[in-house]
Amino acid sequence: MKKVKILPIYLSFLILIYIISVMTVNLSSFPGLHGDEAWFGLNAREILHHGTRSLHGLNTYTSSFYSWLISLTFRLLGINVFSLRLLGVFLNLLGFIIVVYSLNKYVDQKTSILFLFLLLSCSSLLLFPRIAWEVFALQVFFLSLKFKLLLKYFKNHEFTGLDIFLFLFITFLGVINHFIFIFESLGLTVAALSLHLRYFNKTTIQLFYLSFLSLTVVSIIYVTKPLISDEIFQAYRYILLIISLAVLALFSKVFIRTQQQISQILSLPPRFKQIFSWLAGVFLLLLSIFLLRNFLTIHSQSFLGTISGIIVIERLSSTLLTVLEKQWLEITWIALISIFILRGLQKLINNNSTNNLQTEVFFYLYPLFCLLFVSLAPGNSDRYYIIPGYLFLIAFPLVVRSQYITYQVRYLYLSLIILLGFTFTLQQTLLWINILATENKSPRLIRYGNFQDLSYHFLKQDQLLKFLQERQICQINQIDRNTVYFIYASLDFHFLERQLSCHNPTTVLIEYCPHCRDFPKYFKIIETNH
């Protein structure tokens, strides 16, 4: 029985309390309400009053599931920006707690503390929950649940029927929520195959079999979801739900019934094992080269800018970090990624086949392949890197840990603590400066490597709303609505939240204006009639 120390538990509790404060202070005002957040809020209001009318969200690769969840918080807390964003904060915090609990239970307390320090040094994962998008609200929670089930499997060497169903159900919800989650299933499957090629035992066979079933579920959703029109959904929503759960239950039953036969089939004779290993190895090598080339060309700089927090801080607050601040964050995360890769590679080529080593090798490969598959994404948006970035933070303590505390290991841990200490101080200083800021900074085009996006869309609209409210103007020109969607959608939600009374018949056109310093700052208001 593992000895439980009280001090790490208290430290974990204090860090989690601090993380709550980082994610909730001025939640309604920072960052400014984005147009897509407003869309989710307005859609949730429709669901609250009229029920769910569509399976899809903003498009066919997203869903209305998150809007439905928000409608539940609106029912409890009312319709406002705080309740719109609170759900994402709660689910992300719950995900962090699940990871801390799992590391404490199945590994040791040191790994959970290291995870929390990494989290404190990764401002992107502390800022993303503030944005009410489905990718930011749910993916961390889903990944944390999967992490717990996988750690439990490596500890117990078996999946129960409930474990299988939950694993497939989480995958189902993740892909329904947003097709970005497909990259997780692809990365998991290839990581499981690589682990099986490395160790060839019952544990790796069952993991590969589960990942294959999970990928099958993903494929079914990918093909069928775009075909479900609003009319079909409204007529057969409960039948579709029952069919979906029945298919997941069937897959779980098939796994339990056939796992022995699959183990026998994949436990090949030595000669066939060599042929299979050679063919699969060539396939994995070619796939990795293709994905790595794509990743280095398109995504490498964007991933570094996202996980280091540079892109996220600048985009949400319109702040330009100094060269020194950027360089420190870049050096820190390049060092952490390098340590992760080298330490994982050292364990991968180790001839030992203990269960702990297999666990660590799998969690080394899992985020790497997820990151490589992200290179297939259409673009380099920061939201694409949540899955590999969060998996990296989860896996890092497992990969760098050692059962033997040698001089080199002590030196490594000490270096990590010093590095993360400085980075934590810088990240938290930048976070609190922007969280507590009361006014907008001049909006700009954010560039980092080949990444570029506008900070305009996260401007606070307090001054704009005050201007319109003082003049009792609610009539907004609809002609250019598509071109200024991010202003108008946010205003629609704020009007709904504040229930403004408007008697002025004036219609206005509102545009972003980065050079306008008069009240309301950074917005141009043009009267189109009197």
Side-chain angles (χ1 to χ4, degrees):
M1 185 176 178
K2 289 193 299 185
K3 183 179 178 182
V4 178
K5 296 180 181 179
I6 300 300
L7 184 59
I9 294 176
Y10 284 143
L11 182 58
S12 298
F13 180 75
L14 290 174
I15 292 174
L16 288 168
I17 292 296
Y18 177 75
I19 287 173
I20 292 173
S21 68
V22 171
M23 294 197 297
T24 56
V25 171
N26 288 341
L27 181 61
S28 300
S29 58
F30 178 78
L33 186 67
H34 191 278
D36 288 345
E37 290 184 274
W39 184 92
F40 280 110
L42 295 169
N43 193 38
R45 177 183 176 271
E46 287 298 309
I47 291 173
L48 184 64
H49 293 297
H50 306 291
T52 309
R53 296 178 175 179
S54 175
L55 175 62
H56 309 299
L58 280 165
N59 35 57
T60 56
Y61 57 81
T62 62
S63 79
S64 57
F65 176 63
Y66 181 53
S67 296
W68 176 75
L69 290 176
I70 293 173
S71 72
L72 301 181
T73 63
F74 282 175
R75 189 183 299 275
L76 293 173
L77 302 174
I79 300 175
N80 51 67
V81 177
F82 181 80
S83 59
L84 173 65
R85 290 174 166 175
L86 185 62
L87 178 64
V89 170
F90 172 75
L91 290 174
N92 276 264
L93 179 65
L94 191 56
F96 301 154
I97 292 172
I98 289 169
V99 170
V100 171
Y101 169 80
S102 302
L103 289 172
N104 273 319
K105 181 176 181 179
Y106 299 114
V107 190
D108 57 43
Q109 292 175 311
K110 287 181 290 187
T111 56
S112 65
I113 295 295
L114 181 54
F115 163 72
L116 287 172
F117 274 108
L118 283 166
L119 191 59
L120 288 174
S121 303
C122 184
S123 56
S124 56
L125 284 170
L126 298 179
L127 286 175
F128 280 151
R130 287 177 166 265
I131 305 171
W133 293 352
E134 74 281 77
V135 286
F136 295 154
L138 291 166
Q139 289 193 134
V140 163
F141 177 62
F142 291 150
L143 290 171
S144 300
L145 290 173
K146 278 197 160 186
F147 176 72
K148 180 184 183 301
L149 291 171
L150 289 167
L151 262 189
K152 178 185 174 184
Y153 170 68
F154 278 108
K155 183 73 173 179
N156 299 335
H157 304 290
E158 65 175 357
F159 286 114
T160 65
L162 180 60
D163 290 338
I164 301 299
F165 180 81
L166 287 175
F167 195 90
L168 296 177
F169 184 63
I170 294 164
T171 303
F172 170 81
L173 287 180
V175 177
I176 286 287
N177 181 56
H178 200 296
F179 277 6
I180 287 177
F181 210 73
I182 292 172
F183 299 136
E184 183 275 335
S185 290
L186 289 169
L188 173 70
T189 304
V190 176
L193 175 60
S194 303
L195 190 74
H196 181 56
L197 292 176
R198 180 68 181 84
Y199 296 107
F200 265 103
N201 56 42
K202 184 179 177 181
T203 301
T204 61
I205 289 172
Q206 290 191 9
L207 181 61
F208 177 60
Y209 184 26
L210 176 61
S211 67
F212 178 77
L213 284 181
S214 178
L215 193 59
T216 304
V217 170
V218 168
S219 302
I220 293 171
I221 298 169
Y222 181 76
V223 172
T224 59
K225 183 178 180 293
L227 303 177
I228 301 175
S229 65
D230 294 351
E231 293 76 17
I232 292 174
F233 178 77
Q234 291 172 28
Y236 304 105
R237 70 182 73 185
Y238 297 113
I239 295 175
L240 291 171
L241 177 61
I242 292 169
I243 291 173
S244 301
L245 294 176
V247 169
L248 297 179
L250 177 63
F251 276 32
S252 305
K253 195 71 172 177
V254 168
F255 180 93
I256 297 298
R257 289 286 183 88
T258 61
Q259 57 182 327
Q260 296 300 330
Q261 293 91 321
I262 295 295
S263 295
Q264 291 173 4
I265 292 170
L266 293 181
S267 298
L268 301 171
R271 182 179 176 182
F272 291 103
K273 187 183 293 185
Q274 287 181 345
I275 296 172
F276 176 76
S277 298
W278 188 84
L279 291 174
V282 169
F283 166 75
L284 288 174
L285 178 62
L286 294 175
L287 177 65
S288 299
I289 291 172
F290 168 74
L291 294 175
L292 182 62
R293 175 183 173 277
N294 209 26
F295 172 76
L296 292 175
T297 305
I298 301 173
H299 294 272
S300 55
Q301 291 176 313
S302 302
F303 174 70
L304 178 61
T306 299
I307 197 169
S308 65
I310 296 170
I311 287 174
V312 182
I313 291 173
E314 291 193 342
R315 188 178 173 212
L316 299 192
S317 64
S318 299
T319 301
L320 279 181
L321 303 188
T322 65
V323 173
L324 187 60
E325 289 169 341
K326 286 184 179 180
Q327 287 179 343
W328 178 260
L329 294 175
E330 288 168 344
I331 290 169
T332 297
W333 284 96
I334 289 172
L336 290 173
I337 292 169
S338 301
I339 290 169
F340 179 83
I341 291 173
L342 294 174
R343 183 68 174 146
L345 192 60
Q346 182 185 24
K347 293 186 175 184
L348 182 63
I349 62 178
N350 192 320
N351 289 326
N352 200 331
S353 59
T354 62
N355 182 60
N356 284 340
L357 188 62
Q358 290 184 46
T359 306
E360 291 156 8
V361 168
F362 171 74
F363 283 107
Y364 168 63
L365 298 171
Y366 184 22
L368 287 182
F369 278 114
C370 287
L371 183 58
L372 289 179
F373 276 108
V374 164
S375 67
L376 301 177
N380 57 355
S381 173
D382 49 7
R383 65 181 180 274
Y384 295 148
Y385 309 117
I386 300 170
I387 292 172
Y390 186 60
L391 287 176
F392 171 77
L393 259 65
I394 292 173
F396 187 92
L398 287 169
V399 173
V400 302
R401 72 188 288 265
S402 175
Q403 291 178 300
Y404 308 102
I405 306 300
T406 62
Y407 172 78
Q408 290 86 352
V409 172
R410 288 182 185 275
Y411 182 76
L412 176 62
Y413 281 173
L414 181 61
S415 302
L416 282 174
I417 290 170
I418 294 172
L419 187 66
L420 291 176
F422 280 111
T423 306
F424 160 76
T425 304
L426 175 59
Q427 293 269 24
Q428 296 306 310
T429 302
L430 293 171
L431 279 177
W432 283 109
I433 287 172
N434 290 297
I435 288 171
L436 298 176
T438 55
E439 288 191 1
N440 289 317
K441 295 178 182 176
S442 179
R444 51 177 51 88
L445 176 66
I446 303 300
R447 286 192 177 95
Y448 185 88
N450 57 357
F451 172 92
Q452 61 178 30
D453 207 338
L454 296 170
S455 69
Y456 293 58
H457 304 152
F458 288 101
L459 283 178
K460 300 173 184 177
Q461 295 186 340
D462 296 5
Q463 289 190 9
L464 176 60
L465 286 164
K466 186 176 180 182
F467 177 90
L468 296 174
Q469 189 169 6
E470 285 176 351
R471 291 157 179 77
Q472 295 191 338
I473 298 173
C474 292
Q475 302 298 320
I476 311 297
N477 193 312
Q478 301 294 315
I479 296 175
D480 295 320
R481 187 176 180 87
N482 289 333
T483 59
V484 284
Y485 158 79
F486 295 102
I487 298 176
Y488 287 9
S490 301
L491 283 177
D492 286 344
F493 187 82
H494 283 308
F495 287 164
L496 175 67
E497 173 188 17
R498 303 187 182 199
Q499 297 182 343
L500 301 182
S501 60
C502 304
H503 304 290
N504 192 332
T506 301
T507 301
V508 296
L509 174 66
I510 304 173
E511 298 175 346
Y512 292 118
C513 181
H515 306 296
C516 297
R517 297 295 188 270
D518 295 332
F519 186 86
K521 246 182 173 184
Y522 309 125
F523 291 99
K524 181 194 288 187
I525 301 175
I526 305 167
E527 294 187 7
T528 57
N529 76 321
H530 299 278

